[in-house]
Amino acid sequence: MSKIPRIVILGAGYAGIVTAIRLQKELNYNEADVTLVNKHNYHYFTTHLHMPAAGTDNPKHASVNIPNLIDEFKIDFVKSTVLEIRPHEQKVILEDGNLNYDYLVIGLGGEPETFGIPGLAENAMNIRSLNTVNLIREHIEYQFAKYKRDSSRTDYLTFVVGGAGFTGIEFVGELADRIPELCKTFNVDPSLVKIYNVEAAPTVLPGFDPELVEYGMNVLKEKGVTFKVGIPIKECLPDGVVLGNGEEIKAATVVWTGGIRGNHLIEQSGFEAMRGRVKVDKNLRAPGYDNVYIIGDCSIIFNEEGRPYPPTAQIAVQQGETCADNLVASIRGGSLKEFVPSLKGTVASLGKNEAIGLVGTMKMKGYLASIMKKVIDLRYLFVIGGIPLILKKGKF
Ligand code: FAD
Ligand code: NAD
């Protein structure tokens, strides 16, 4: 009797959880032995993290327990941290054991890219996981409390967000919304609070529609955000940042949203990578390893003009679906599908009831765009958990 193939999925983010859920739907019992490994027992919605980071939403709205999403008769869930991947040995080393595989799916997500900027790794915070955003929220609240004890320290009320890509923009929108409440709670004059969003490129949201960028900047400026555009952060100190033009901003809070790279385990495991991301083949497999799929932010794919697609949840979800189909095809001796992303558009929140978006060729802004953002979030909940998850976690 031939043995059942072992599939190991690393990471239960957008890419990994969708792969697991699709596999459990498509595979028959005993067709494969599937194990999903994740360092927490919950799946978190990275796309919501700017809200709990600023404290405008409860972190419990940004996660769901993994056992609630999977059929544990079909998928073994292992809560553990991956320490090492050994593709030559078809083995994964976890903090508390090893796993052998016939097929491996790597969906371990991204990490902040610091570009070697001195002091960033040590002194700046990042919007990456529930733990990192809980830290940011508590840190922000603590600065207000500290200011009440020493009102000469206006740097406690100064917030620098480095990078005005989508993460930076979404976070400053929420932060600006949270400030009035914090000022009220701590009885602080709102005019003393400063939020700086520093962007190295000549424009915020580089590459996005200029009309929507202008609208977004105006909304955020109205809320009290100061943009410093065309100036990079050159150094991050324990008490602020130094900019490329020599200006120093004293700030007790620096949040780095200057970009991401693939998980460090990718390069450590010997995969050829560009900033930690592997250029996968058309079927999403790692070069040289027909049994290793790399998806989500750990992978990099290119459009017809040879330009990389940005790492997004939208692409991670679609890759998860194709990856699952290809695993099933491999097991059944079928042919593999080519992955072609189907981009629906981009909608970025600017805080409560405000957003900008490009959906197909349609530009959206204001309240309508914020509704569209909610629809996109609800659609994702439907994909992974159907109506029950929408009712439990959806925001209407
Ligand atoms: P992730 O979703 O990051 O999942 C990786 C998983 O691996 C996590 O569960 C993590 O805990 C686990 N893991 C990591 N290391 C280990 C380890 N060593 N051992 C075990 N488990 C491990 N994209 C959009 O398309 N639309 C948006 O609106 C949008 N908004 C965003 C807002 C913010 C604030 C941020 C930061 C990103 C946003 N993105 C958005 C980008 C999107 O979130 C990512 O592209 C997406 O999360 C990538 O999915 P992934 O599965 O590759 O990684
Ligand atoms: P990003 O790479 O998209 O943006 C980082 C920004 O930081 C860039 O504008 C870059 O010019 C700037 N930067 C880099 N170095 C700098 C420096 N030294 N000083 C100042 N600015 C500097 O990263 P992100 O915003 O974290 O987004 C990551 C991915 O997640 C992207 O693919 C993005 O599309 C996606 N995302 C999507 C949404 C959405 O669709 N609503 C929201 C958040 C993130």
Side-chain angles (χ1 to χ4, degrees):
M1 202 173 80
S2 62
K3 76 177 174 68
I4 297 175
R6 283 159 307 176
I7 301 174
V8 172
I9 305 168
L10 305 180
Y14 288 80
I17 200 77
V18 168
T19 306
I21 290 170
R22 182 112 160 180
L23 276 180
Q24 80 187 4
K25 278 192 195 132
E26 292 189 8
L27 285 174
N28 299 316
Y29 284 99
N30 293 329
E31 222 179 341
D33 176 350
V34 184
T35 303
L36 173 65
V37 183
N38 196 62
K39 66 164 116 164
H40 313 288
N41 69 344
Y42 53 81
H43 163 77
Y44 55 83
F45 313 128
T46 320
T47 58
H48 286 220
L49 290 181
H50 50 290
M51 294 182 276
T56 51
D57 195 18
N58 191 317
K60 74 173 189 229
H61 293 145
S63 69
V64 55
N65 283 341
I66 291 167
N68 292 348
L69 297 175
I70 57 171
D71 174 352
E72 289 192 89
F73 287 107
K74 284 191 163 183
I75 300 202
D76 290 325
F77 172 58
V78 175
K79 179 187 166 297
S80 186
T81 298
V82 180
L83 299 182
E84 204 184 327
I85 303 163
R86 294 186 187 163
H88 289 297
E89 296 174 37
Q90 300 196 184
K91 185 189 248 189
V92 177
I93 313 296
L94 306 181
E95 61 184 348
D96 45 11
N98 303 337
L99 286 172
N100 295 304
Y101 62 82
D102 296 303
Y103 297 96
L104 181 68
V105 178
I106 306 178
L108 293 168
E111 293 177 357
E113 171 63 277
T114 58
F115 302 107
I117 296 170
L120 260 187
E122 300 80 8
N123 301 315
M125 293 181 285
N126 305 106
I127 302 177
R128 274 320 309 165
S129 65
L130 276 190
N131 292 337
T132 69
V133 302
N134 286 338
L135 183 72
I136 294 174
R137 189 184 60 257
E138 284 171 15
H139 174 89
I140 292 170
E141 289 165 5
Y142 186 42
Q143 301 318 301
F144 276 79
K146 287 207 291 190
Y147 175 77
K148 288 306 285 179
R149 287 182 50 188
D150 181 357
S151 61
S152 69
R153 296 285 304 273
T154 47
D155 58 313
Y156 289 148
L157 301 180
T158 304
F159 301 89
V160 172
V161 178
F166 286 107
T167 305
I169 286 291
E170 291 197 322
F171 177 61
V172 292
E174 297 301 321
L175 183 58
D177 281 354
R178 180 83 202 287
I179 295 301
E181 183 210 317
L182 286 168
C183 287
K184 208 168 157 200
T185 307
F186 289 92
N187 194 20
V188 165
D189 175 359
S191 71
L192 297 172
V193 179
K194 304 277 178 256
I195 302 173
Y196 293 101
N197 194 182
V198 183
E199 169 56 51
T203 164
V204 312
L205 297 178
F208 200 54
D209 179 89
E211 185 194 328
L212 294 173
V213 169
E214 192 187 342
Y215 175 86
M217 280 181 83
N218 286 337
V219 168
L220 294 170
K221 282 181 192 167
E222 278 282 301
K223 291 187 185 203
V225 177
T226 302
F227 287 99
K228 291 198 174 273
V229 177
I231 314 166
I233 288 183
K234 206 176 73 181
E235 190 176 356
C236 185
L237 308 167
D239 60 351
V241 291
V242 182
L243 306 186
N245 60 4
E247 185 187 347
E248 202 173 321
I249 305 175
K250 289 268 177 221
T253 308
V254 179
V255 176
W256 176 246
T257 57
I260 64 139
R261 54 182 290 116
N263 193 296
H264 67 280
L265 290 174
I266 291 289
E267 281 170 350
Q268 262 180 29
S269 309
F271 291 106
E272 206 176 298
M274 305 156 84
R275 285 171 55 190
R277 302 174 67 199
V278 176
K279 184 178 171 193
V280 288
D281 71 11
K282 61 185 188 339
N283 309 119
L284 300 173
R285 293 173 303 177
Y289 297 100
D290 281 356
N291 61 343
V292 178
Y293 288 81
I294 305 189
I295 54 178
D297 287 1
C298 288
S299 68
I300 187 163
I301 52 168
F302 294 83
N303 66 16
E304 276 167 5
E305 288 96 55
R307 293 179 52 195
Y309 284 98
T312 62
Q314 188 177 174
I315 289 182
V317 166
Q318 293 175 14
Q319 287 182 321
E321 290 167 350
T322 302
C323 174
D325 291 351
N326 284 347
L327 286 165
V328 173
S330 301
I331 289 167
R332 292 181 184 160
S335 43
L336 302 187
K337 272 188 189 169
E338 187 171 331
F339 178 71
V340 184
S342 160
L343 300 185
K344 314 281 186 242
T346 302
V347 184
S349 151
L350 305 169
K352 194 170 167 39
N353 294 336
E354 275 287 1
I356 42 176
L358 203 52
V359 179
T361 52
M362 190 171 52
K363 293 182 194 182
M364 301 177 112
K365 53 193 174 197
Y367 184 65
L368 188 64
S370 75
I371 296 292
M372 179 53 84
K373 177 89 180 152
K374 287 191 175 120
V375 170
I376 295 168
D377 291 344
L378 293 177
R379 185 179 176 276
Y380 177 65
L381 293 179
F382 183 75
V383 167
I384 62 167
I387 302 281
L389 191 63
I390 290 187
L391 295 174
K392 209 163 152 198
K393 298 280 172 183
K395 288 188 73 193
F396 303 96

